[in-house]
Amino acid sequence: MMNTHDFLPVIKAVLSDKRVIITAVIVFLFMDLCAYVVRYRKKPKTPKAKKTIAAPAPAPAEKAAEEGGDDAAGDEE
């Protein structure tokens, strides 16, 4: 029968083996992925604010024509 002092080198050899470390990492990543899938909730759609388009300012030429300026170039006699 082995005592506790004889188990320590065996445990150290097993835990430091590359295959054990790689397997532990893969299992951890797989379980993390499974937990993510279980907890995943699709975000509800948020209504987007409608963009308001500012009314274009009236053109300055329209103001001058309404005031009866000299833009008519003497066509009226």
Side-chain angles (χ1 to χ4, degrees), residues 25-37 39:
V25 170
I26 290 173
V27 168
F28 175 76
L29 292 175
F30 179 74
M31 291 181 69
D32 193 38
L33 176 68
C34 291
Y36 173 77
V37 169
R39 287 182 282 133

Side-chain angles (χ1 to χ4, degrees), residues 47-77:
K48 294 182 180 179
K50 292 183 180 179
K51 294 181 181 178
T52 56
I53 300 173
E62 293 175 3
K63 289 182 181 178
E66 291 174 0
E67 294 174 2
D70 292 332
D71 291 340
D75 288 340
E76 298 177 5
E77 288 185 304

Side-chain angles (χ1 to χ4, degrees), residues 10-22:
V10 175
I11 292 173
K12 182 181 176 187
V14 169
L15 293 179
S16 64
D17 188 28
K18 289 181 185 179
R19 293 173 290 188
V20 173
I21 294 171
I22 291 172

